[in-house]
């Protein structure tokens, strides 16, 4: 008997998934029901298929309704028309795992995704498509974007993964934060936005599309907010018929080489999230809920392999407290308010100079209130409905019955945890290491020669992070002291002159280029310069260098570009 009951409950739960998804000014509507949804971003390739079930289970236990993920084009199509959906790339398996645990999926197809991912997710071979201009009203780009988007949508459809087919996917995203760069595309920008929206909508997924940070997202695409403080900054949807959706609520921030971990507090995250819901926000996504690991060479320039370790689930999938627990309590408190939140009449009024109430009043007794103290320094005592409430600085109190405080964002009840590490394997014993000596290549040994300095990504096609640049030249003079100056758009440079190491230099995440400047001594006869240029992750821009060798008034200009032009001598260069 019990078993039978269990079975039917399960059946009901999974049936609850199917259904067309629409929206109105209040929220997404799934199966005819308005929804307030909490979503957590988890990227399938940043963890392993073995860990997906437990990550999703922990997200569900934390009170989430939706798992949101990007789709990683260059991971799936590393060579043109050669697709790979195996192992960590198995997006269908990931989505089915989310479905099996009864959660929804939001699929951010992009296919430009940024995401601190190599080349923003675009395959490197796209660079070689003739006349292509990325993310613009450009035929070749639109063709390839259409091709990949269609490929993914068809794959989802054939697995019946859209909610309209009974699957878990309730939302999809096209493009990503395009408005930030749109002006740079001049008159090619706006038609591209219109095209992207129409192309996506034309794929007839039966679920809505969003564009994030795109205030002019064309109907019926929903413009969504990304950022840390959407609770304060989002001006709202661009139509009264669209819901307020927050696609990236940053739980901390990604970390770069040489940077400090970003510690966004549980209080701050819940304050912004509660404020967003108080202002009729209906969808909050935490970016990231689990960051995980940038395996292999998938991180973009200077980004660490560890991704959003400070998220509610840390890099290893361990619950990070109090973040996870405090968010869980927020979700539970807001779920207690659902009825008035979704059906009640919304009103807002001041409780003090920096204090506000957001109230949702339904029929009869239904009432939920959010009491907000925007003062970031002082407690505030406020009066609301004949009661007195003490509000901590910069906080939201949630009253699911307009009387009793169920949750305050600044009062963290969850205990802090610390993570202790113990060595499982020692990697420092000499027998685990081997040393290799690579000879310094010089110009005589190169087979690939060009009349200009080659741009690094075009040369390596992402097969390697390393590229040697070598050249030789004749020199005869009393003077031996010269300065070698290299301006690099790559990330690290090691320089050798006549087989001798003369120094290294590197840039940083925030710098666009760096310079190496070293004194070198030259010999009479043939001199060899060998430069090992290293990339620490694919950036979104060109990577190359210019270099010059200067001495007094004499400059040898090896690029005919950036160094002031000078004597062009009998140089041979690669
Ligand atoms: C979704 O909408 C289509 C077209 O209106 C309809 O045929 C279908 O039955 C709907 N699906 C569900 C699950 O309601
Ligand atoms: C706010 O009130 C709490 C408890 O009433 C008190 O512990 C705290 O120090 C006060 N904070 C400020 C900034 O006044
Ligand atoms: C608040 O007090 C006033 C006056 O005593 C009373 O009329 C009103 O019903 C009270 N409101 C609530 C919500 O209790
Ligand atoms: C290099 O060449 C210059 C000019 O021919 C000459 O004066 C100088 O002595 C040479 N230096 C050496 C170390 O041979
Ligand atoms: C090169 O040598 C000169 C003179 O010895 C010194 O003043 C200068 O700082 C050096 N430059 C670099 C880049 O090392
Ligand atoms: C979103 O992120 C911002 C900043 O990282 C935070 O203040 C806010 O509370 C977050 N909101 C949610 C719902 O996570």
């Amino acid at each position: 008997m019990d078993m039978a009951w269990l079975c039917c409950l399960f059946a009901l739960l999974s049936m609850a998934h199917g259904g067309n998804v629409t929206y109105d000014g209040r929220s997404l509507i799934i199966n005819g029901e308005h929804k307030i949804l909490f979503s957590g971003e988890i990227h399938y390739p940043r963890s392993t298929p073995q860990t997906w079930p437990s990550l999703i289970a922990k997200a569900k236990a934390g009170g989430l309704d939706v798992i949101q993920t990007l789709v990683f084009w260059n991971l799936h199509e590393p060579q043109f028309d050669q697709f790979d959906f195996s192992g960590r790339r198995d997006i269908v398996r990931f989505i089915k795992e989310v479905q099996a645990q009864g959660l929804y999926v939001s699929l951010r197809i992009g296919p430009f995704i940024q995401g601190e991912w190599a080349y923003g997710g675009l395959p490197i071979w796209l660079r070689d498509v003739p006349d292509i201009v990325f993310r613009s009203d450009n035929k070749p780009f639109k063709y390839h974007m259409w091709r990949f988007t269609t490929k993914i949508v068809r794959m989802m459809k054939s697995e019946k993964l859209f909610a309209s087919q009974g699957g878990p996917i309730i939302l999809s995203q096209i493009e990503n934060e395009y408005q930030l760069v749109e002006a740079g595309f001049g008159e090619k920008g706006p038609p591209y936005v219109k095209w992207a929206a129409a192309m996506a909508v034309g794929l007839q997924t039966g679920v809505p599309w969003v564009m994030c940070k795109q205030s002019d997202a064309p109907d019926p695409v929903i413009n969504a907010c990304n950022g840390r403080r959407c609770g304060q900054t989002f001006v709202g949807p661009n139509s009264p018929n669209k819901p307020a959706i927050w696609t990236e609520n940053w739980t901390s921030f990604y970390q770069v080489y040489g940077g400090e971990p970003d510690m966004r507090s549980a209080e701050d995250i819940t304050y912004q999230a509660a404020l967003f819901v108080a202002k009729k926000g209906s969808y909050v996504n935490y970016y990231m809920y689990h960051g995980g690991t940038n395996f292999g060479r998938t991180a973009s320039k200077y980004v660490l392999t560890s991704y959003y370790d400070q998220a509610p689930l840390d890099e290893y999938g361990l619950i990070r407290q109090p973040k996870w627990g405090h968010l869980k309590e927020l979700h539970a408190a807001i779920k207690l308010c659902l009825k008035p939140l979704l059906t009640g009449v919304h009103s807002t009024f001041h409780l003090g100079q920096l204090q506000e109430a957001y109230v949702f009043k339904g029929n009869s007794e239904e009432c939920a209130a959010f009491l907000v103290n925007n003062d970031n320094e002082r407690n505030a005592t406020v009066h609301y409905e004949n009661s007195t409430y003490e509000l901590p600085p910069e906080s939201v109190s949630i009253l699911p019955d307009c009387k009793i405080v169920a949750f305050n964002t600044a009062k963290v009840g969850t205990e802090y945890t610390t993570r202790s590490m113990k060595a499982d394997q020692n990697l420092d014993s000499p027998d685990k290491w081997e040393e290799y000596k690579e000879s310094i290549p010089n110009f005589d040994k190169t087979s690939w020669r060009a009349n200009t300095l080659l741009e690094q990504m075009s040369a390596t096609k992402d097969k390697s992070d390393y590229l040697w640049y070598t050249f030789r030249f004749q020199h005869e003079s009393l003077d031996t002291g010269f300065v070698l100056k290299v301006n690099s758009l790559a990330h690290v440079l090691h320089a050798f002159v006549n087989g001798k190491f003369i120094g290294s230099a590197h840039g940083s995440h925030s710098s666009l280029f760096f310079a190496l400047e070293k004194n070198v001594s030259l010999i009479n006869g043939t001199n060899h310069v060998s430069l090992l240029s290293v990339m620490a992750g694919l950036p979104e821009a060109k990577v190359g260098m210019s270099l010059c060798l200067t001495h007094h008034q004499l400059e040898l200009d090896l690029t005919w570009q950036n160094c002031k032009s000078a004597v062009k001598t009998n140089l041979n260069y690669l």
Side-chain angles (χ1 to χ4, degrees):
M1 206 43 202
D2 274 347
M3 288 305 277
W5 184 83
L6 260 181
C7 135
C8 296
L9 185 62
F10 275 122
L12 272 178
L13 276 178
S14 52
M15 269 179 55
H17 254 113
N20 291 322
V21 183
T22 56
Y23 61 80
D24 63 12
R26 183 63 193 100
S27 75
L28 292 179
I29 303 170
I30 305 175
N31 244 351
E33 277 182 41
H34 285 87
K35 298 278 183 183
I36 302 282
L37 297 169
F38 289 99
S39 167
E41 188 115 353
I42 300 179
H43 296 153
Y44 53 96
R46 285 178 158 137
S47 52
T48 60
Q50 294 73 30
T51 59
W52 292 342
S54 79
L55 293 173
I56 295 162
K58 286 171 185 171
K60 185 179 184 180
L64 295 191
D65 313 289
V66 184
I67 302 295
Q68 183 166 292
T69 184
L70 299 169
V71 181
F72 299 78
W73 187 357
N74 55 9
L75 198 66
H76 294 306
E77 195 180 5
Q79 309 296 329
F80 171 67
D81 210 27
Q82 290 176 23
F83 290 93
D84 187 350
F85 292 93
S86 65
R88 287 187 291 109
R89 300 171 177 83
D90 194 344
I91 183 172
V92 167
R93 176 170 169 187
F94 179 77
I95 292 174
K96 286 186 172 172
E97 186 56 47
V98 177
Q99 180 177 30
Q101 299 203 32
L103 300 184
Y104 297 119
V105 170
S106 162
L107 195 64
R108 307 172 78 193
I109 298 178
F112 174 79
I113 52 170
Q114 198 139 345
E116 293 67 64
W117 190 261
Y119 217 44
L122 298 181
I124 198 81
W125 54 259
L126 265 191
R127 293 164 55 90
D128 295 332
V129 171
D131 300 324
I132 199 163
V133 180
F134 295 166
R135 306 177 74 200
S136 182
D137 186 19
N138 167 273
K139 247 188 179 164
F141 184 74
K142 290 193 297 187
Y143 167 72
H144 286 285
M145 176 165 165
W146 165 81
R147 206 177 44 82
F148 181 71
T149 307
T150 304
K151 167 100 186 166
I152 294 297
V153 166
R154 285 200 183 134
M155 183 180 229
M156 298 301 123
K157 279 189 182 174
S158 72
E159 301 282 344
K160 300 215 180 321
L161 292 175
F162 285 106
S164 50
Q165 306 171 290
I169 303 172
I170 53 162
L171 203 60
S172 305
Q173 179 180 312
I174 194 78
E175 249 299 337
N176 188 50
E177 301 192 348
Y178 184 70
Q179 201 160 34
L180 296 180
V181 297
E182 186 170 344
F185 291 93
E187 61 183 18
K188 296 277 190 187
Y192 168 66
V193 171
K194 286 206 182 70
W195 169 83
M199 185 269 287
V201 171
L203 294 174
Q204 303 198 329
T205 58
V207 308
W209 290 87
V210 298
M211 284 181 153
C212 56
K213 284 202 178 168
Q214 189 73 41
S215 59
D216 60 351
D219 293 343
V221 174
I222 304 166
N223 58 309
C225 182
N226 276 3
R228 276 177 103 82
R229 314 206 178 279
C230 292
Q232 288 167 318
T233 61
F234 190 42
V235 296
N238 62 14
S239 147
N241 303 322
K242 295 180 185 179
I245 284 183
W246 189 353
T247 40
E248 284 194 13
N249 196 19
W250 302 331
T251 51
S252 71
F253 214 58
Y254 61 86
Q255 214 184 326
V256 301
Y257 285 102
E260 293 291 319
D262 177 290
M263 305 289 195
R264 188 166 182 204
S265 71
E267 294 91 318
D268 183 36
I269 298 173
T270 51
Y271 169 69
Q272 290 289 337
L275 202 51
F276 192 67
V277 173
K279 294 180 178 177
K280 297 187 77 177
S282 62
Y283 182 103
V284 174
N285 177 63
Y286 302 105
Y287 192 101
M288 297 293 298
Y289 197 76
H290 170 257
T293 305
N294 293 311
F295 291 105
R297 299 168 53 247
T298 57
S300 63
K301 65 164 187 170
Y302 294 112
V303 169
L304 300 194
T305 54
S306 174
Y307 191 61
Y308 280 80
D309 180 41
Q310 294 295 319
L313 302 179
D314 73 9
E315 177 174 8
Y316 312 100
L318 301 172
I319 286 173
R320 179 179 290 285
Q321 298 287 36
K323 227 174 234 183
W324 183 89
H326 197 52
L327 287 174
K328 178 186 164 100
E329 285 182 29
L330 167 76
H331 305 149
I334 286 177
K335 291 288 150 86
L336 293 174
C337 308
L338 278 190
K339 199 107 190 270
L341 262 183
L342 288 172
T343 60
V345 175
H346 189 226
S347 60
T348 305
F349 46 91
H350 284 281
L351 298 169
Q353 211 176 1
L354 291 169
Q355 291 76 33
E356 297 154 341
Y358 296 86
V359 179
F360 298 82
K361 264 204 164 78
N363 304 330
S364 64
E365 300 293 283
E366 286 155 9
C367 182
F370 295 73
L371 308 185
V372 180
N373 182 10
N374 290 310
D375 188 328
N376 56 17
E377 281 172 7
R378 282 175 297 270
N379 288 328
T381 303
V382 298
H383 303 285
Y384 168 68
E385 295 280 359
N386 298 350
S387 294
T388 301
Y389 298 89
E390 182 84 5
L391 306 178
E394 194 154 83
S395 76
V396 180
S397 281
I398 299 175
L399 290 58
D401 57 356
C402 285
K403 292 195 179 80
I404 295 165
V405 177
F407 179 80
N408 176 278
T409 57
K411 292 184 177 161
V412 177
T414 308
E415 303 249 331
Y416 280 72
T417 51
T418 53
R419 186 171 66 187
S420 60
M421 305 265 198
K422 80 174 168 59
D424 188 47
Q425 253 191 82
N426 278 330
L427 295 174
D428 58 358
S429 79
D431 52 279
K432 287 211 157 56
W433 289 88
E434 280 181 79
E435 191 178 283
Y436 296 90
K437 276 224 161 68
E438 183 166 333
S439 57
I440 314 302
N442 66 31
F443 184 77
D444 301 328
K445 293 184 187 141
T446 56
S447 52
W448 186 11
R449 299 177 182 187
N451 268 334
T452 175
L453 279 169
L454 296 175
E455 192 271 327
Q456 186 160 349
M457 278 195 284
S458 304
T460 61
K461 310 276 185 213
D462 195 34
K463 293 284 190 297
S464 172
D465 289 319
Y466 298 89
L467 186 65
W468 282 101
Y469 291 83
T470 72
F471 63 96
R472 69 176 178 211
F473 59 95
Q474 299 296 325
H475 168 80
E476 200 150 315
S477 152
L478 264 176
D479 272 319
T480 57
F482 281 77
V483 177
L484 174 69
K485 183 170 179 189
V486 183
N487 291 317
S488 176
L489 293 170
H491 309 140
V492 184
L493 190 77
H494 305 292
F496 302 81
V497 173
N498 295 325
K500 256 177 49 198
F501 176 66
I502 59 154
S504 298
H506 66 83
S508 71
H509 183 259
S510 54
S511 63
L512 290 178
F513 78 99
F514 67 94
L516 173 135
E517 206 170 335
K518 296 285 175 193
N519 285 331
V520 297
S521 49
L522 301 180
I523 55 172
N524 280 349
T526 305
N527 286 268
H528 290 276
V529 175
S530 306
L531 304 166
L532 180 58
S533 177
V534 186
M535 286 170 59
L538 282 181
E540 271 104 53
K542 283 190 165 188
V543 177
M545 61 168 76
S546 68
L547 46 83
C548 44
L549 200 55
T550 62
H551 176 62
H552 304 303
Q553 310 308 323
L554 176 70
E555 284 188 359
L556 301 182
D557 181 339
L558 302 178
T559 62
W560 292 286
Q561 272 173 18
N562 286 347
C563 307
K564 262 187 241 134
S565 91
V567 186
K568 288 171 186 162
T569 59
N570 55 334
L571 295 175
N572 298 304
Y573 45 80
L574 168 69

